[in-house]
Amino acid sequence: MNPYPHLFSPIQIGKTTVKNRIFMPPLSTNLADKGYVTDALVEHYANRAKGGVGLIITEVTTVEPVYTYLPGDMSIHDDSYIPGWKKLVDAVHQYDCRILSQLFHPAYMAFPIPGTPQLIAPSNVGPYYARSAPRPVTVEELHTLVRQFGEAAFRFKTAGGDGVEIQAAHAHGLLGGFLTPLYNKRTDEYGGDINGRLRLTLEVIAEIRKTCGEDFIIDVRISGDEYSDGGLTLNDMIYVSKQLEKAGVDFIHVSGGNTIKRGSSMPAPGTAPAPHAHASEEIRRHLHIPVSTVSRINEPWIAEELIANGKTDICMIGRPNLCDSEFAHKAMEGRPEDIRPCIGCGRCLTGIMFGKPIACTVNPSVQSDYIAPAEEKKKVLVIGGGPAGMEAAYVARKRGHQVVLCEKQSELGGLLRLAAVPIGKQDLCKVIKYMTRRLYNEGIEVRLGCEVTPDMLQGEFKGWEVICSTGAVPKTIDAYKCFKQTMTADDILSGRGFPGRKIVILGGGSVGCETADYLAPLINDLFPANRDVTVIEMTNQLMTGEGGPARSAVTQRLMRKGVHLELSSTVTSVDETTITYLKDGVEHVIRDADTLVFAVGYTPAPAICENAHLIGDCDKVGNLKDAIAAAHQLAKNL
């Protein structure tokens, strides 16, 4: 019996029937080669189609040659791109999956490749995102661009594609910029009121329909609400959606927010599922064509509920399909516990801004889950049951090795168990649960409460390959331990330490800030029992290793809660009752604190075996993505 009957029912999109309601939205990969489709791109999308997705919308596809969005993004601005696109379309179609290309012009968001001319924009307004001052695009240029959108769509149809998406959301690129009043200050026929701002998008739709015919899918991606003062509102977008339906659009892709307000279009980890569903529900009430919603739909039950409860007709599920290409099949088979959990960290996309290919924290092999069997079967001992150890054990066993994993604690997870404690980090519990389940499903011998000794290495495990994943230990500052009560952030998050009411945290990285967030009152209402928390950070930034949405969300919470954030500050002395720090050349003394917390980094735990393969934090302290990726790679080559 299908556990998600609404999610896996077919839907009519224009003249095309799509087999289910799981659509994959556009996510840049940086896998193209100067705009051309590569074998890596074909494999990437074909794996998601094979995994059961009903319809895929490719990443940004530029329609003209002058402006580049990202160096590794796709293009279709002339006929030379058609053969590559045909190869991609054919690979997706073999799994009864439909495919659309997202047509796009980056305008003021173009990548600053040397030789790029002055960026164009609706108006000379570009302080929010543009990397250099843009100029207003002329009416004559707009007529050319409309034609180029139509020609690009026709090339995709020639390659066998099912349709295109027009990106007009998020104040993003040319069409999104024209639609939002935040960027469009024109007074000609392409500006002024909402009809003027929408005109360019309607002209693009008309050109594509004229060029490609009635059986070619056209969808438009919009922000149902920009959640920004001076931006588009839900009422605006109900009206816009009605006009798009009249123009012959086949479905509306309702996203939200914009690129200006961090965390609005790509929400931070730990935030509520489906944050734009209220907009898709309201817009859906006024239309006769299907409507989709998107963002943080990380589990199949959420998607089923959204459709069953009338919030949407379609669920765009992006990052979870990156994290597990078999998301749809596992859901349809009633195996949601076997879906690799997306934690919403956003690291899949942060690297692409620096020219790196798409990656995933939880899935170190985004392109393909295939693990080749080992030519020589070995006996492998994994010491440490944190995320790196669990990944190494699983991959080694999949390759055919005999594996024993020993963990000295009574539970698996390592430092990831502590990382899951702060606000918004609860999804990490799913990772531990998932990785644990895989070990037992593969029949790996897991010994809990088992600390490996030198005698064991010379006895039972003599001659075995040893992988050491013993993690790291928090650093402290000996000179400051004279304070009346000191502890590490790990002590607090594990429950080993219980701080007082007036707390000073040394270190404004992710651990320090998340610990402050955990300790601070949920409401800054001056209630007598509230904790008073101060974070002292030497640099001028907080959480430098985190992506924009996560960093922004935590920082905003700390400020709302009244946490004192002392940046560019250096502690100069500590005695039993006072903490002295220097900021902007001025000395400050904290005299009433009762707890000093160390959040000043970690140091690798010592390995007990000289010839062991070191992975994770015991090799080099890093983030979760670093640990899992290193473990995966080592075990693949063992």
Side-chain angles (χ1 to χ4, degrees):
M1 178 179 170
N2 182 358
Y4 309 106
H6 294 85
L7 187 59
F8 288 100
S9 63
I11 186 169
Q12 192 72 18
I13 304 294
K15 299 182 183 300
T16 302
T17 301
V18 180
K19 64 183 177 183
N20 63 45
R21 313 294 181 98
I22 297 179
F23 288 15
M24 185 169 175
L27 291 167
S28 290
T29 65
N30 255 349
L31 294 175
D33 181 8
K34 298 178 181 177
Y36 287 93
V37 173
T38 61
D39 289 344
L41 268 171
V42 173
E43 182 181 24
H44 172 75
Y45 286 116
N47 281 337
R48 275 73 204 169
K50 183 180 179 181
V53 170
L55 181 147
I56 290 171
I57 304 172
T58 72
E59 62 212 78
V60 163
T61 304
T62 54
V63 301
E64 57 81 45
V66 177
Y67 297 99
T68 300
Y69 180 56
L70 288 171
D73 269 329
M74 306 169 82
S75 187
I76 196 166
H77 70 255
D78 66 42
D79 290 354
S80 68
Y81 294 88
I82 293 175
W85 278 102
K86 186 177 190 314
K87 184 177 181 180
L88 172 57
V89 168
D90 290 347
V92 168
H93 277 172
Q94 68 177 314
Y95 300 108
D96 190 27
C97 177
R98 304 301 99 200
I99 182 169
L100 312 185
S101 176
Q102 189 196 68
L103 300 186
F104 184 72
H105 188 294
Y108 50 89
M109 302 180 78
F111 198 83
I113 292 175
T116 300
Q118 185 177 8
L119 305 183
I120 60 172
S123 311
N124 61 345
V125 177
Y128 305 118
Y129 193 95
R131 296 174 173 89
S132 59
R135 65 170 176 83
V137 62
T138 68
V139 171
E140 291 74 18
E141 287 172 319
L142 291 177
H143 293 163
T144 299
L145 286 165
V146 168
R147 188 188 76 248
Q148 288 173 323
F149 270 93
E151 291 169 349
F154 185 74
R155 290 186 192 104
F156 188 62
K157 182 178 181 181
T158 302
D162 299 290
V164 294
E165 174 170 274
I166 306 303
Q167 162 65 322
H170 310 147
H172 191 230
L174 186 72
L175 300 183
F178 263 81
L179 190 55
T180 180
L182 292 168
Y183 280 128
N184 189 336
K185 312 296 180 179
R186 298 173 77 102
T187 57
D188 61 11
E189 63 267 39
Y190 291 98
D193 62 3
I194 196 166
N195 294 304
R197 299 197 309 274
L198 181 59
R199 178 174 179 141
L200 181 60
T201 298
L202 294 178
E203 288 183 356
V204 167
I205 293 166
E207 182 71 13
I208 294 172
R209 186 61 77 203
K210 180 182 73 174
T211 304
C212 297
E214 294 298 320
D215 61 346
F216 192 68
I217 296 171
I218 301 175
D219 98 84
V220 178
R221 191 179 203 191
I222 62 171
S223 286
D225 191 327
E226 288 194 327
Y227 315 126
S228 301
D229 292 342
L232 293 163
T233 67
L234 177 55
N235 196 55
D236 292 332
M237 299 318 292
I238 293 169
Y239 175 79
V240 165
S241 298
K242 289 178 180 178
Q243 310 317 306
L244 294 174
E245 182 177 30
K246 290 177 185 177
V249 167
D250 295 302
F251 78 94
I252 306 291
H253 178 176
V254 179
S255 184
N258 55 43
T259 52
I260 302 164
K261 186 176 182 180
R262 268 181 296 278
S264 61
S265 60
M266 184 179 170
T271 53
H276 313 309
H278 67 288
S280 62
E281 179 184 30
E282 186 60 28
I283 288 170
R284 183 175 179 268
R285 290 181 57 243
H286 301 277
L287 302 182
H288 303 91
I289 57 175
V291 170
S292 71
T293 191
V294 68
S295 190
R296 287 194 56 76
I297 306 172
N298 292 352
E299 299 176 74
W301 73 266
I302 298 172
E304 175 71 14
E305 286 294 300
L306 290 168
I307 298 169
N309 298 336
K311 303 286 186 181
T312 187
D313 300 295
I314 300 157
C315 285
M316 294 281 178
I317 301 178
R319 287 182 283 170
N321 269 305
L322 287 177
C323 192
D324 193 334
S325 63
E326 292 286 322
F327 179 98
H329 275 166
K330 290 176 180 178
M332 186 167 58
E333 293 167 0
R335 298 189 293 120
E337 67 278 4
D338 290 329
I339 295 173
R340 184 185 284 108
C342 171
I343 59 175
C345 64
R347 291 189 187 277
C348 49
L349 301 180
T350 52
I352 65 171
M353 297 300 178
F354 303 100
K356 297 179 181 179
I358 197 163
C360 175
T361 291
V362 186
N363 180 3
S365 186
V366 169
Q367 296 312 304
S368 173
D369 285 335
Y370 176 70
I371 298 173
E375 293 182 5
E376 178 190 354
K377 304 301 189 285
K378 300 179 179 180
K379 294 181 177 181
V380 179
L381 169 66
V382 179
I383 304 174
M390 288 193 285
E391 180 70 19
Y394 170 76
V395 174
R397 183 71 189 94
K398 290 293 286 186
R399 299 193 67 220
H401 300 306
Q402 178 186 341
V403 181
V404 173
L405 185 151
C406 295
E407 165 57 49
K408 68 179 181 180
Q409 303 296 331
S410 61
E411 297 178 279
L412 294 170
L415 288 178
L416 200 57
R417 301 186 68 84
L418 304 189
V421 171
I423 293 171
K425 302 298 291 293
Q426 62 273 11
D427 283 349
L428 295 178
C429 296
K430 300 177 190 175
V431 177
I432 299 170
K433 190 174 180 179
Y434 167 79
M435 297 184 85
T436 301
R437 179 180 172 82
R438 286 195 313 180
L439 298 180
Y440 289 109
N441 284 349
E442 290 298 323
I444 295 170
E445 182 181 348
V446 177
R447 301 182 187 178
L448 298 177
C450 175
E451 184 169 4
V452 176
T453 65
D455 287 344
M456 293 170 68
L457 293 172
Q458 293 301 316
E460 179 182 2
F461 297 112
K462 185 177 179 63
W464 287 45
E465 290 272 359
V466 179
I467 298 175
C468 188
S469 175
T470 49
V473 293
K475 293 180 179 178
T476 58
I477 302 173
D478 288 341
Y480 299 163
K481 289 183 178 178
C482 59
F483 193 73
K484 53 189 168 185
Q485 179 175 237
T486 65
M487 60 189 66
T488 66
D490 284 22
D491 290 332
I492 293 170
L493 298 177
S494 66
R496 294 190 301 267
F498 192 76
R501 293 292 171 189
K502 177 80 172 180
I503 301 162
V504 175
I505 298 175
L506 297 188
S510 296
V511 173
C513 288
E514 289 171 358
T515 304
D517 193 20
Y518 171 69
L519 292 172
L522 292 177
I523 301 172
N524 183 22
D525 58 359
L526 302 181
F527 192 75
N530 287 351
R531 285 192 169 102
D532 185 316
V533 182
T534 298
V535 175
I536 300 178
E537 166 59 34
M538 293 177 63
T539 71
N540 61 358
Q541 295 184 52
L542 296 174
M543 301 178 66
T544 53
E546 288 294 334
R551 187 194 308 183
S552 177
V554 174
T555 302
Q556 289 183 62
R557 278 204 302 271
L558 294 177
M559 295 172 72
R560 284 197 304 270
K561 292 176 174 185
V563 173
H564 311 291
L565 303 173
E566 302 296 340
L567 302 179
S568 301
S569 301
T570 304
V571 173
T572 55
S573 67
V574 174
D575 60 28
E576 186 179 358
T577 59
T578 66
I579 300 166
T580 303
Y581 66 95
L582 195 66
K583 179 176 182 178
D584 298 329
V586 178
E587 189 174 81
H588 302 265
V589 181
I590 301 174
R591 302 183 187 280
D592 54 350
D594 50 42
T595 308
L596 179 61
V597 178
F598 296 113
V600 290
Y602 293 83
T603 189
I608 67 166
C609 179
E610 292 183 1
N611 298 319
H613 302 280
L614 303 182
I615 57 172
D617 283 346
C618 77
D619 177 37
K620 182 181 179 182
V621 174
N623 56 41
L624 176 61
K625 179 175 176 291
D626 298 330
I628 293 178
H632 185 91
Q633 192 61 37
L634 173 72
K636 276 183 68 173
N637 296 321
L638 196 63

